[in-house]
């Protein structure tokens, strides 16, 4: 796996491109007029995308009918020397469709405990929590 990063303006705007030519823009979002996401926001996006792919894949294999899927991810940061790493991350999945709530919860559990490489990478230092909502109702364990 490899990406390239190219500076595309005179400030902090960077384009990150993978080997397939797909790209995202990173920027210093503390500056006015930022045109990309911050690197730390991209970490939250990576958690959402990685776990989202897992959950959808697992539920599709179980023939669950997903008509809509969204995730909200929030990160709590702490000051460590001059850096502000994440202390904890909370992921909320919102699924709509003909979906067994217990299967949606189990798929989420499998993602975070077994499959999601992004959350597993962060896991030694970051607490990751998740909640699952199916058709507007939170799913309890």
């Amino acid at each position: 796996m490899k990406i390239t990063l190219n500076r595309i303006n005179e400030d902090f705007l960077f384009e990150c491109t993978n080997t397939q030519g797909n790209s995202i823009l990173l920027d210093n979002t503390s500056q006015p007029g930022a045109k990309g996401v911050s690197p730390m926001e991209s970490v939250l996006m990576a958690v959402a995308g990685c776990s989202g792919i897992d959950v959808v894949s697992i539920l599709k294999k179980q023939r669950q009918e997903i008509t809509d899927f969204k995730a909200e991810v929030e990160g709590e940061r702490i000051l460590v020397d001059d850096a502000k790493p994440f202390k904890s991350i909370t992921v909320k999945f919102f699924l709509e469709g003909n979906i067994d709530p217990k299967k949606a919860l189990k798929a989420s559990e499998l993602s975070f405990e077994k499959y999601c490489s992004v959350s597993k990478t962060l896991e030694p230092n970051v607490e990751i929590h998740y909640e699952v909502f199916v058709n507007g109702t939170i799913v309890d364990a």
Side-chain angles (χ1 to χ4, degrees), residues 4-92:
T4 57
L5 178 141
N6 290 302
R7 186 174 177 208
I8 59 174
N9 72 2
E10 293 182 11
D11 288 317
F12 307 103
L13 185 61
F14 298 97
E15 181 178 39
C16 296
T17 306
N18 68 7
T19 54
Q20 296 170 325
N22 301 310
S23 62
I24 65 167
L25 296 177
L26 296 178
D27 206 344
N28 181 348
T29 58
S30 67
Q31 301 293 312
K35 294 189 176 16
V37 299
S38 76
M40 292 302 280
E41 288 169 334
S42 74
V43 172
L44 297 180
M45 291 176 178
V47 170
C50 184
S51 58
I53 288 169
D54 290 340
V55 170
V56 169
S57 176
I58 292 166
L59 291 176
K60 284 180 79 163
K61 287 177 186 170
Q62 296 175 339
R63 293 186 168 81
Q64 301 298 292
E65 297 175 28
I66 304 167
T67 58
D68 193 36
F69 180 94
K70 293 180 182 150
E72 290 179 2
V73 185
E74 289 188 54
E76 180 185 350
R77 297 171 73 179
I78 57 171
L79 188 61
V80 176
D81 298 322
D82 290 330
K84 291 190 284 186
F86 287 116
K87 174 185 175 186
S88 66
I89 293 174
T90 301
V91 180
K92 293 181 182 178

Side-chain angles (χ1 to χ4, degrees), residues 51 54-66 69 93 95 98-111 115 130 132-134 139-141:
S51 58
D54 290 340
V55 170
V56 169
S57 176
I58 292 166
L59 291 176
K60 284 180 79 163
K61 287 177 186 170
Q62 296 175 339
R63 293 186 168 81
Q64 301 298 292
E65 297 175 28
I66 304 167
F69 180 94
F93 292 125
L95 296 96
N98 188 10
I99 303 163
D100 180 330
K102 297 289 184 205
K103 288 183 178 184
L105 186 62
K106 183 64 176 176
S108 301
E109 177 185 313
L110 285 169
S111 175
Y115 297 120
Y130 61 91
V132 179
F133 297 80
V134 174
V139 181
D140 294 320

